[in-house]
Every structure is written in C-alpha cells, then in structure tokens.
Amino acid sequence: MAGERILVIEDEGRIAQFIERGLIYEGYRVNVARDGKIGLTAARDNPPDLVILDWMLPGLDGLEVCKRLRAASDIPILMLTAKDDVKDRVTGLDAGADDYLVKPFSVDELLARIRALFRRTVPLSRPDVLRFADLTLDTGTHRAYRGDRAIDLTAKEYELLELFMRNPRQVLTRDVIFDRVWDYDFGGESNIIEVYVRYLRQKTENESESRLIHTVRGVGYVLREE
Ligand code: CA
C-alpha cells in the first residue's frame, strides 16, 4: 500500500509468479529470488521491508536462510511451507520466522498475513526517533515534542502521528489511515479521522506554531511544512 519492498524467495516459478502478481497489484514493490543463496545475498545487499521465504529451496533451504537472516536483522519473515505439520511449524518459528503460510493459500490470505506482519513488526522492530520540522517522535518511549515542548498523546493519537511521521509529505488517503490506525472499516460516514486530526492539531500546534498536518480536500491528509 505504501510501496513497501518485499523479497520473495521461492523456486517454483508458478507460485513465485502468483505471489508477485498479487503483491504488485496491491502496490508493493517486489523482487524474486529463485534460490536460497541468491535470496540471502539479495536480502543482505538491499534489505527489503519483508521477506516471503519458501521452506524447500535449492542452494540453501528456507530454514537455514531464515536463521541467517534473523541473526543479522529484524526483517519480518513469512515462511511458506507445504509441510502441514505442527512440529515443522514450530521449527520454522524457532528459526526466527514471524509467521508462516501452508500451501496452497489464497492471495487474500497472503495479503492479510503481510498486513498483519507490517502492523505487528514494523513499530516494534524499529524503535527510533522520527523528526519532521520541529516535531519529534520517539517510537521507543512514545514521547512527542514540538521543539522543546512535550506533547501528551493518547494511544490512537500516537499511532496517527507516527503514521504521518513515517510518511512525511505523502498524502495519506482516508482508507490508508483507517487501515493502518483503526484496523477495521468504519464505513464512509464516520468522521473519526477528522476528529483525531483535530485532536492532534490542538496538541501539536499552539498559537505561535505553524500548521503541519494539512487537509487535502476529498482525499485525506498530509504532513508537510507550509
Ligand atoms: Ca520450493
């Protein structure tokens, strides 16, 4: 949705293509590796935002790729397996996979798992300090500042501000904001986003401070300087 890059390590051409098409259609950027070693090298040279990793691979098997990737990074890893067996699932998770999917699976199921992984792992695996203009957001402590002024945020206000600060100068549509922050559909009538943007503006903009969260009429909102 926001163009995250996904590396697919899968040797079976038909399945790799099926996954690639589904992901591209959804707006992700996709690279495919057909071999474990090549996939591992690709992940190291140009770290993606998420890895979809088949279990049975030539070169280096998926389990080994998973262990080596995990030793070096927190990239979310979704394993694919034909082995529908509890013991193998546990082995995969022990090796550091975040989730797995048993073949055959539908593209909808794959996309749902990916969204869940991004929601679950991205904020946790990347505690850092986000800055935009004089706004600062510490994703480890959840503290926000405008200049030196500390801002108290509720959990939802924090999530909304983090979404803006991770995507500065990009227009975020109402649908994207719903999907990322509220996680379910309020329907077209809800004004919850407007309400929360108002809260955020009240807290982040006092009288002497410039507007940072701007309305893009009929579309959504954007974090940008005047
Ligand atoms: Ca395979």
Side-chain angles (χ1 to χ4, degrees), residues 10-12 54 56-57 103:
E10 163 67 86
D11 59 310
E12 285 161 81
D54 188 32
M56 302 295 284
L57 288 170
K103 294 176 184 177

Side-chain angles (χ1 to χ4, degrees), residues 6-214:
I6 298 180
L7 173 63
V8 180
I9 309 177
E10 163 67 86
D11 59 310
E12 285 161 81
R14 192 177 47 83
I15 297 177
Q17 234 176 40
F18 162 78
I19 294 172
E20 186 179 18
R21 281 202 198 116
L23 295 180
I24 288 174
Y25 187 77
E26 197 66 12
Y28 294 110
R29 291 176 293 146
V30 184
N31 296 101
V32 178
R34 295 290 182 83
D35 165 291
K37 268 186 193 155
I38 295 170
L40 187 62
T41 306
R44 282 175 175 167
D45 289 352
N46 189 10
D49 298 304
L50 183 142
V51 176
I52 297 175
L53 177 60
D54 188 32
W55 188 300
M56 302 295 284
L57 288 170
L60 206 58
D61 75 33
L63 212 54
E64 195 54 38
V65 173
C66 183
K67 282 183 196 161
R68 295 191 194 182
L69 272 178
R70 186 50 80 230
S73 89
D74 291 331
I75 295 173
I77 300 172
L78 174 63
M79 284 202 78
L80 304 179
T81 175
K83 302 176 172 186
D84 187 9
D85 168 311
V86 175
K87 186 167 151 285
D88 289 329
R89 295 180 188 202
V90 172
T91 309
L93 295 174
D94 280 349
D98 295 286
D99 199 1
Y100 58 88
L101 207 47
V102 176
K103 294 176 184 177
F105 50 83
S106 71
V107 77
D108 286 341
E109 190 176 5
L110 175 71
L111 293 172
R113 297 290 185 97
I114 290 171
R115 283 195 296 270
L117 276 180
F118 276 134
R119 277 198 295 271
R120 202 167 78 212
T121 55
V122 171
L124 288 178
S125 63
R126 290 186 198 160
D128 51 29
V129 177
L130 306 174
R131 293 177 210 282
F132 182 81
D134 57 351
L135 209 52
T136 308
L137 191 66
D138 185 324
T139 66
T141 61
H142 283 208
R143 287 177 185 277
Y145 299 88
R146 178 104 198 228
D148 294 329
R149 184 170 68 82
I151 301 166
D152 273 328
L153 298 174
T154 64
K156 278 294 166 209
E157 289 164 359
Y158 170 83
E159 282 186 54
L160 184 57
L161 186 58
E162 184 182 1
L163 178 66
F164 279 121
M165 292 192 67
R166 286 198 185 278
N167 302 278
R169 299 184 192 88
Q170 293 179 44
V171 176
L172 300 177
T173 65
R174 295 167 48 89
D175 284 348
V176 165
I177 296 173
F178 270 134
D179 191 53
R180 298 297 185 85
V181 179
W182 276 274
D183 203 16
Y184 54 94
D185 195 0
F186 272 82
E189 301 306 312
S190 171
N191 67 341
I192 189 124
I193 294 179
E194 286 73 6
V195 169
Y196 273 84
V197 165
R198 193 159 67 234
Y199 292 157
L200 266 189
R201 282 174 174 160
Q202 282 165 2
K203 292 186 175 185
T204 60
E205 302 168 7
N206 68 24
E207 282 162 24
S208 63
E209 293 165 343
S210 61
R211 169 142 297 184
L212 292 175
I213 302 169
H214 299 266

